Amino acid sequence: MHKIAKHSFNIARRAIGYGLIGSVIALLSVGIYTLEKRPDLSVWHTVDLDEEFTRDSDVTDFAGYLKLEDRLFQQLEQEVYQKTGKANDDSINRFQHGSATDPTAMAPNWNRSFTLDTENPTAGVLLLHGLTDSPYSLRSYAESFHASGASVIGLRIPGHGTTPSGLVKVSWLDMAAAVRLAAEHLRATVGDKPIYVVGYSNGGALAVHYCLETLHDPTLPKVDKLILFSPEIGITPTAAMAVWQGRLGHWLGLEKLAWTSINLEYDPYKYNSFAVNAGHQAYLITKEIEGRLAKMSEQKQLADFPPTLAFQSAVDATVSAPDLVTRLFDKLPQRGHELVIFDRNHGKRIKNVLAPNAVKALTERLKGASQSFTLTILSNRDTENTTGSGEVLIHRRPANQNEIETLDSEISWPSDIFSLSHIALPFPPSDPIYGNGGSANNMTLGNLALRGEKGAILISPNEMLRQHWNPFFPWVQNCAHAHFELPTP
């Protein structure tokens, strides 16, 4: 009887095991089928532009980087634009000459690295844009800092500004190598004047990584001060698993699996399609930074990390706002660091349609124990929603103090905006691409809101809903100039 029972158990165990394996294979097959049913890849998803910079390129300075970039954009013209043909009058394909969103028809083409030199600069500023973005995303700050007397470099991060396929193979180490070349060129340009760095999203991660590098390598130009917008310090762990989708596609010869999303490319300065590898590289650099910060904090090696001012929306679907606090700011000893958080809008008309407040712990941090950095939170005057006021107060607790300062800001939430977003912080309302001044007729993306039946349009409703510009931009700009000790023009 015992043998019969044991034999029956083994049969049941094998059956369950085979059933689980079969279920996994079935789910995997359904997943692959679903991913393969997405739109076909276009030339801008598959082209290999081999003139792109990598850390193994035969380039030793920023001048060489720019020369290679010239060849890269010539290759882009030959391998993409010459194959897509001239656009119709109503085309919005950025990869067709003559379309409404053709960046090559815009002067300058902000997809490329740029320099804004000053004869006698008071400082040098290096601007690092985000993942899938281009130097355009920090254009307003570049022009503002330049008008205040600084020499400015807006670096095109490798893999960007050309085609989405540029992010299929790029490594964050390639990006970091380009940052070093730009920083060295900026030091040669401004001499002994201060060097400041601005990092947005993935550019924020690159900026933090570079600053950590300078603490170990005295030959690298030191950063005097740092500004971060929506910095990529922590992201979802699922990004670490997504790379297996791309690897599976490579093994099976299914190119679409290398893509998290395949979308219409209507934005002149940002990719709408997203490569799996891009998310994987973001994960790798955040883990590298997390490990370094933890180790250097424990060994008390962060005393010379440059004074940092960071701006973060409490509601952010791309990066982890709490990780910015715990992984970065909590690790930094006192040195004039400040974190500015934009709470969501608590306006009376909005409160009933908002999801439960998942960011309360972040804003509650203001009431906790004192910390080594200044914490500033911008929130409605009336957060209990009794008056519906959009007026914003500044709640500020200086480093190592318990008392909270509350100041009027003279700014207010627009009544139809419920929060900022990851992508909104660096763009003024007047931005010609992402601002609020245009209409659907001229493809101003900041207020694009096409209406009709769901599923009938190639532009994601999520992207139309997302906030693209910062209603508090002038206030943020003043803070940035003050941090860099540059007059506001």
Side-chain angles (χ1 to χ4, degrees):
M1 183 66 70
H2 176 73
K3 290 183 177 179
I4 294 174
K6 184 176 181 180
H7 179 67
S8 299
F9 174 77
N10 288 334
I11 291 175
R13 185 175 61 180
R14 284 196 294 269
I16 292 172
Y18 293 146
L20 289 174
I21 292 172
S23 297
V24 169
I25 292 174
L27 288 173
L28 188 60
S29 299
V30 171
I32 292 174
Y33 175 79
T34 302
L35 291 171
E36 280 294 295
K37 290 291 288 183
R38 295 179 298 174
D40 290 337
L41 297 176
S42 300
V43 62
W44 46 87
H45 296 113
T46 59
V47 67
D48 182 13
L49 302 179
D50 57 12
E51 294 289 358
E52 179 61 275
F53 172 85
T54 73
R55 61 191 183 282
D56 297 322
S57 296
D58 186 21
V59 172
T60 59
D61 55 26
F62 190 60
Y65 184 87
L66 294 180
K67 289 180 180 178
L68 184 60
E69 188 174 274
D70 284 340
R71 298 202 298 272
L72 173 66
F73 276 78
Q74 290 171 10
Q75 189 178 37
L76 172 65
E77 172 68 26
Q78 296 166 1
E79 298 297 327
V80 178
Y81 284 96
Q82 294 302 319
K83 293 181 179 180
T84 56
K86 188 170 177 58
N88 298 324
D89 292 339
D90 57 352
S91 171
I92 56 170
N93 183 349
R94 70 174 280 182
F95 295 113
Q96 282 189 296
H97 284 318
S99 81
T101 58
D102 173 14
T104 67
M106 305 175 188
N109 181 354
W110 291 100
N111 283 303
R112 304 191 58 167
S113 300
F114 64 83
T115 59
L116 301 177
D117 292 324
T118 301
E119 186 173 348
N120 295 302
T122 57
V125 182
L126 174 59
L127 305 172
L128 306 175
H129 63 78
L131 202 61
T132 76
D133 291 327
S134 67
Y136 181 89
S137 62
L138 292 170
R139 173 190 67 93
S140 293
Y141 280 99
E143 294 173 339
S144 178
F145 292 141
H146 181 245
S148 296
S151 285
V152 178
I153 293 178
L155 176 66
R156 183 196 62 85
I157 306 297
H160 296 80
T162 54
T163 62
S165 64
L167 294 180
V168 172
K169 295 181 180 179
V170 72
S171 164
W172 73 266
L173 293 170
D174 300 328
M175 303 178 191
V179 171
R180 288 193 292 272
L181 292 179
E184 290 166 351
H185 180 78
L186 194 60
R187 170 54 69 208
T189 300
V190 302
D192 60 358
K193 299 298 173 60
I195 287 183
Y196 305 136
V197 175
V198 179
Y200 166 46
S201 189
N202 185 66
L206 290 167
V208 170
H209 178 265
Y210 177 78
C211 290
L212 294 175
E213 288 277 274
T214 66
L215 300 183
H216 284 301
D217 186 350
T219 66
L220 292 174
K222 299 294 184 183
V223 177
D224 291 274
K225 290 186 178 182
L226 178 64
I227 290 178
L228 304 173
F229 295 108
S230 306
E232 181 189 85
I233 302 301
I235 59 175
T236 172
T238 56
M241 300 299 296
V243 67
W244 289 102
Q245 175 184 314
R247 290 174 180 171
L248 182 62
H250 178 71
W251 294 333
L252 298 177
L254 303 175
E255 291 184 316
K256 289 185 185 179
L257 267 64
W259 296 89
T260 302
S261 60
I262 302 170
N263 294 317
L264 178 68
E265 295 296 332
Y266 59 86
D267 191 322
Y269 299 120
K270 181 180 178 68
Y271 303 149
N272 296 113
S273 302
F274 193 80
V276 168
N277 179 63
H280 183 58
Q281 297 306 316
Y283 174 78
L284 292 178
I285 191 173
T286 57
K287 295 304 292 182
E288 172 71 15
I289 291 171
E290 180 186 15
R292 284 201 181 194
L293 283 169
K295 182 178 180 180
M296 294 175 71
S297 175
E298 182 180 349
Q299 297 177 352
K300 301 189 183 306
Q301 297 175 336
L302 294 172
D304 293 329
F305 193 90
T308 299
L309 173 63
F311 298 93
Q312 175 67 51
S313 172
V315 183
D316 192 314
T318 303
V319 302
S320 169
D323 282 348
L324 175 59
V325 180
T326 58
R327 293 187 183 182
L328 178 61
F329 278 88
D330 279 346
K331 299 291 190 295
L332 300 176
Q334 184 177 356
R335 202 189 175 204
H337 308 296
E338 181 173 2
L339 172 59
V340 178
I341 295 174
F342 294 93
D343 194 5
R344 63 181 188 173
N345 185 358
H346 292 271
K348 189 173 183 180
R349 294 181 179 179
I350 292 177
K351 67 173 183 176
N352 292 322
V353 298
L354 286 177
N357 191 356
V359 297
K360 187 175 181 180
L362 196 61
T363 54
E364 286 291 315
R365 183 70 182 258
L366 191 68
K367 304 174 184 176
S370 62
Q371 48 222 351
S372 61
F373 60 93
T374 296
L375 179 61
T376 299
I377 295 181
L378 279 72
S379 188
N380 296 67
R381 177 181 295 277
D382 175 24
T383 58
E384 298 302 319
N385 310 307
T386 57
T387 66
S389 172
E391 294 178 72
V392 172
L393 293 178
I394 301 171
H395 306 284
R396 185 174 185 270
R397 188 173 68 180
N400 295 326
Q401 294 188 25
N402 291 318
E403 292 187 5
I404 301 172
E405 306 170 352
T406 299
L407 306 169
D408 287 320
S409 68
E410 299 183 356
I411 55 180
S412 296
W413 277 104
S415 60
D416 59 343
I417 297 176
F418 58 85
S419 79
L420 294 185
S421 72
H422 178 78
I423 62 174
L425 292 180
F427 297 106
S430 60
D431 188 274
I433 304 295
Y434 306 110
N436 70 339
S439 67
N441 291 331
N442 61 16
M443 287 302 295
T444 301
L445 303 179
N447 70 344
L448 183 65
L450 304 178
R451 291 176 173 82
E453 183 55 273
K454 63 181 181 180
I457 189 170
L458 295 177
I459 298 176
S460 167
N462 290 333
E463 285 305 308
M464 287 191 279
L465 176 66
R466 203 175 192 189
Q467 181 63 21
H468 284 73
W469 48 273
N470 187 351
F472 312 131
F473 181 88
W475 184 87
V476 173
Q477 183 184 44
N478 288 337
C479 292
H481 277 258
H483 183 67
F484 282 169
E485 301 179 70
L486 295 171
T488 303

